[in-house]
Amino acid sequence: MAFNAAANGSSTALTGTLTSSALTSAANQNAYILFSYFNNVGRVISSIGDSKGNAFSQLTGSPFTFGANQTAMGIYYCENMPGFGAGHTFNGVTSVSGAPASIIAAVMSGRAYSGSIRAIGSSVDPTNTPTHPGATVTAVSTDDVIALTAEGDNPNGTEVFTAGSGFTIPANGTNTIQEAPSFVQYQLNVSAGNYTGAYTAANYNHAMQVILALAAQPAAPASQAGLLLTLLGVG
């Protein structure tokens, strides 16, 4: 199990497709995407995709939002991506152009190829503060935990994020632009219990977060021949 790589991208006034930076993906990996945008004038996410032709599913409850004419956050995922390799980028399109948007893709291995999202927690914190309690999720042993966070339009300039206790922010796991700041943080191979994606930012802002407990890929069953040899004490 591992956090393999992240890719990010942002625009102060998205026109057309917002495309992330590139990473190198491999077989048997899952991707989890945060797409943040401003939902005024009926704006919605039209599509989420990537450069390898993978199909993404939208998380139950997505998009999350502070309300009308505010920042919204869509969460999407693709398990055991059939398309992978070098130069792998991720993209999103909104139904109306001209507003800020940001995207982060987190690529992980060792997670279940189907039904990887064991549990979901979410929170919407309307308080303008640099310290956010985050959402909570209940994990079981060997789960990975990933928290995906979007903040509102930040009037104070470029944002800087500090991960919560026990969490790591990966390289390319943040978008710090004033208009659509967002980031991801994770913990790997956790013990059973509750995990909360608390964090601190440089500026006063409101925030929303989705935190996922990701199930491990079950071990492959032993072959019948191998099991017989084991029972016979051979090998």
Side-chain angles (χ1 to χ4, degrees), residues 204-220:
Y204 284 75
N205 208 346
H206 44 293
M208 68 185 83
Q209 184 179 95
V210 172
I211 188 167
L212 307 176
L214 303 176
Q217 172 66 8

Side-chain angles (χ1 to χ4, degrees), residues 79-94:
E79 297 167 323
N80 195 20
M81 292 184 291
F84 53 85
H88 195 164
T89 62
F90 302 83
N91 59 74
V93 179
T94 56

Side-chain angles (χ1 to χ4, degrees), residues 133-232:
T136 300
V137 70
T138 301
V140 305
S141 178
T142 74
D143 279 356
D144 289 348
V145 173
I146 183 168
L148 307 102
T149 304
E151 292 190 339
D153 183 14
N154 173 21
N156 299 308
T158 300
E159 188 62 285
V160 178
F161 299 104
T162 301
S165 177
F167 282 88
T168 298
I169 299 175
N172 300 319
T174 63
N175 287 301
T176 61
I177 65 169
Q178 177 176 340
E179 294 83 1
S182 58
F183 83 107
V184 300
Q185 57 181 349
Y186 66 90
Q187 293 190 45
L188 301 178
N189 194 24
V190 302
S191 301
N194 292 332
Y195 291 83
T196 300
Y199 75 95
T200 303
N203 298 298
Y204 284 75
N205 208 346
H206 44 293
M208 68 185 83
Q209 184 179 95
V210 172
I211 188 167
L212 307 176
L214 303 176
Q217 172 66 8
S223 67
Q224 291 184 349
L227 180 59
L228 178 60
L229 291 174
T230 299
L231 291 174
L232 294 174

